[in-house]
């Protein structure tokens, strides 16, 4: 559970989500009753799925932005020009990609 849930939330930088999930994991690990542990696990998985759904668009935007930064060039007619970070965010295509991806989640 530590690797699967908490480490991923930590990489996202979602501190409040990580703290809430850490509490859920501790409850699961401390529970002696199998049925109650199963219920707590299902609740934790449901909360984690909700966190993923809320974080997915931001992570996708960052990935598109990063890819545009790596390419670092804009096509302006026949001329290619270097882009700065702000321009890369504006022209990375997230305004087109994200709405079309989110409708399937």
């Amino acid at each position: 559970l530590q690797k699967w849930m908490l480490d991923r939330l930590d990489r996202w930088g979602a501190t409040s989500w990580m703290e809430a999930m850490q509490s859920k994991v501790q409850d699961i690990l401390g529970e002696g009753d199998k049925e109650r542990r199963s219920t707590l696990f299902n609740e934790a998985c449901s909360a984690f799925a909700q966190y993923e759904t809320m974080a997915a668009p931001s992570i996708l935007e960052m990935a598109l932005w990063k890819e545009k930064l790596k390419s670092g060039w804009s096509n302006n007619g026949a001329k290619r020009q270097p882009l700065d970070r702000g321009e890369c965010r504006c022209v990375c295509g997230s305004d087109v990609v994200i709405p079309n991806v989110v409708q399937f989640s």
Side-chain angles (χ1 to χ4, degrees), residues 10-66:
D10 189 39
R11 281 192 307 264
W12 294 347
T15 307
S16 62
W17 293 351
M18 192 184 79
E19 290 170 357
M21 191 58 70
Q22 193 168 25
S23 174
K24 291 178 186 297
V25 168
Q26 291 303 317
D27 290 346
I28 293 167
L29 296 175
E31 183 58 54
D33 179 34
K34 244 183 180 178
E35 271 187 47
R36 179 73 181 133
R37 191 177 325 146
S38 177
T39 300
L40 290 171
F41 180 76
N42 288 335
E43 289 172 2
C45 287
S46 177
F48 187 77
Q50 183 178 6
Y51 295 152
E52 279 186 319
T53 301
M54 291 177 357
S58 297
I59 293 169
L60 180 57
E61 180 179 14
M62 285 188 288
L64 291 167
W65 186 16
K66 184 176 181 180

